Amino acid sequence: MVGERERVLVLARDVPAGRVLDAADLRQVEVASETGVVSAADRARVLGRRAKVPLVAGALLAPGQFGGARAFPPKGQSEVAFAIEAGSASPGVVRGDRVAGVGGARWGCHWRA
């Protein structure tokens, strides 16, 4: 129906990629019904998830912009960030994604159990 409005989630402030979304990051607005945005009814599903890309204050939140649970890394493990040359990663990997790293002495990596 034309003119129908829905409550959706919008960013209350800028959120860098990789940061866990919390209540202060989101607010609700009414907009003409849209597909591809997150309904305010799904707020609980969004909280505690990591931003996959940098999010800009005032932008409507889309489903593909967040993922990954807050409970990472598991106890006894660490999370590190490292730069990857353009074209070196799989095309489906985007900024903020969690990936497994495999290293060895060839790359100067020394792992201890």
Side-chain angles (χ1 to χ4, degrees):
M1 177 179 246
V2 175
E4 191 173 325
R5 299 178 75 74
E6 176 185 3
R7 294 191 69 73
V8 298
L9 295 177
V10 65
L11 278 297
R13 60 185 177 188
D14 291 346
V15 176
R19 191 167 103 203
V20 173
L21 292 165
D22 64 34
D25 296 322
L26 304 171
R27 60 186 177 89
Q28 298 178 21
V29 296
E30 280 191 12
V31 297
S33 293
E34 295 282 335
T35 57
V37 296
V38 179
S39 169
D42 291 328
R43 186 172 185 269
R45 185 175 63 88
V46 174
L47 295 176
R49 300 292 180 175
R50 291 188 183 274
K52 286 185 171 184
V53 296
L55 302 172
V56 180
L60 298 174
L61 187 63
Q65 295 176 319
F66 61 91
R70 166 181 275 158
F72 186 84
K75 187 173 182 172
Q77 295 186 10
S78 297
E79 179 177 33
V80 296
F82 52 94
I84 299 196
E85 275 186 48
S88 297
S90 298
V93 175
V94 296
R95 184 180 202 165
D97 277 356
R98 198 173 350 147
V99 298
V102 179
R106 175 178 172 198
W107 294 284
C109 299
H110 302 283
W111 304 97
R112 289 189 149 167

